[in-house]
Amino acid sequence: MRRDPRPRAALLSAVVLIATALMPSPAQAAPAVPDASAKMAAMINEYRDLHGVPRLTVSRNLSRAAQKWADRGDFEHSDPDGKYGENLAASSVPCTEASGPNDPDNSLRLSVDLWYREIDDYDYDHPDTEAGDRAEFDKGIGHFTQLVWKGSRKLGVGIATHPKQQWKCLIVAQFSPPGNYMGEFKENVPRPKGY
């Protein structure tokens, strides 16, 4: 007596379909450059172009590390060993709304622009004296100088919303190699073109 092969074929097709759905596709196996990192790199590179320094490229490793730190929700620097530079931004409004003034793109743009505004306090005439370096940091210019630091070449960004914390939106930008080395400002923080 012969069995009808159709029920077995249908079961085999269902198993193959489920297994295929569970297997990572080539796009999942090698994730694309994180969207926030690519967007912020483009924004930062607009300013870096003004200073005539090399453009930043996105690093998947830095992006993963920055996202992991942003997901923690700690508004403090993550790297005690100085392997990379880091700029942080936080907001009391969520950063994941789809549109309006609090959308992620707007949060990224506001962060980059606020960091760059520290240029107003940077002293191009005395960047590398020891007292000048310390005084500059006391004025809070480290975000600006890291943005345009000539020696930095890679960027990774994390952005996360934490609804139950004081800082609802946290943005972490990590740079490699790090910037802001005392005695190296003149060489790495050139004036903007036409300044």
Side-chain angles (χ1 to χ4, degrees):
M1 179 157 103
R2 247 177 133 188
R3 289 189 179 169
D4 185 354
R6 285 177 290 182
R8 187 173 189 168
L11 179 61
L12 183 58
S13 294
V15 170
V16 169
L17 182 61
I18 291 169
T20 302
L22 295 176
M23 291 175 58
S25 69
Q28 291 170 324
V33 170
D35 200 35
S37 294
K39 288 177 181 178
M40 186 173 268
M43 294 170 191
I44 292 171
N45 284 333
E46 292 171 10
Y47 286 123
R48 291 177 69 89
D49 290 346
L50 291 175
H51 290 262
V53 298
R55 301 183 118 226
L56 296 173
T57 59
V58 174
S59 161
R60 282 189 176 92
N61 289 339
L62 285 177
S63 296
R64 277 191 291 271
Q67 187 60 56
K68 184 176 178 181
W69 192 254
D71 289 342
R72 284 181 50 148
D74 297 329
F75 188 53
E76 59 187 44
H77 289 285
S78 65
D79 181 27
D81 299 327
K83 292 179 284 196
Y84 43 80
E86 184 170 71
N87 283 1
L88 304 175
S91 170
S92 60
V93 295
C95 55
T96 57
E97 295 176 17
S99 62
N102 300 323
D103 69 25
D105 292 348
N106 194 33
S107 297
L108 295 173
R109 170 53 71 191
L110 287 171
S111 298
V112 170
D113 290 348
L114 284 171
W115 294 333
Y116 189 79
R117 282 186 201 152
E118 293 175 4
I119 189 175
D120 294 339
D121 294 320
Y122 186 71
D123 185 357
Y124 283 99
D125 294 326
H126 305 97
D128 281 318
T129 62
E130 188 172 328
D133 286 340
R134 187 76 268 140
E136 294 301 314
F137 268 85
D138 290 345
K139 285 193 274 183
I141 51 86
H143 301 106
F144 157 68
T145 53
Q146 178 60 79
L147 278 186
V148 300
W149 194 264
K150 182 178 171 182
S152 294
R153 301 300 167 91
K154 296 181 187 259
L155 174 73
V157 176
I159 182 168
T161 295
H162 300 280
K164 296 183 180 184
Q165 294 182 0
Q166 175 186 4
W167 303 113
K168 308 275 187 264
C169 176
L170 181 60
I171 296 172
V172 178
Q174 296 178 343
F175 301 80
S176 178
N180 293 335
Y181 285 105
M182 300 301 168
E184 296 181 17
F185 284 84
K186 186 172 185 173
E187 174 186 335
N188 284 285
V189 185
R191 293 177 190 269
K193 298 171 187 172
Y195 183 80

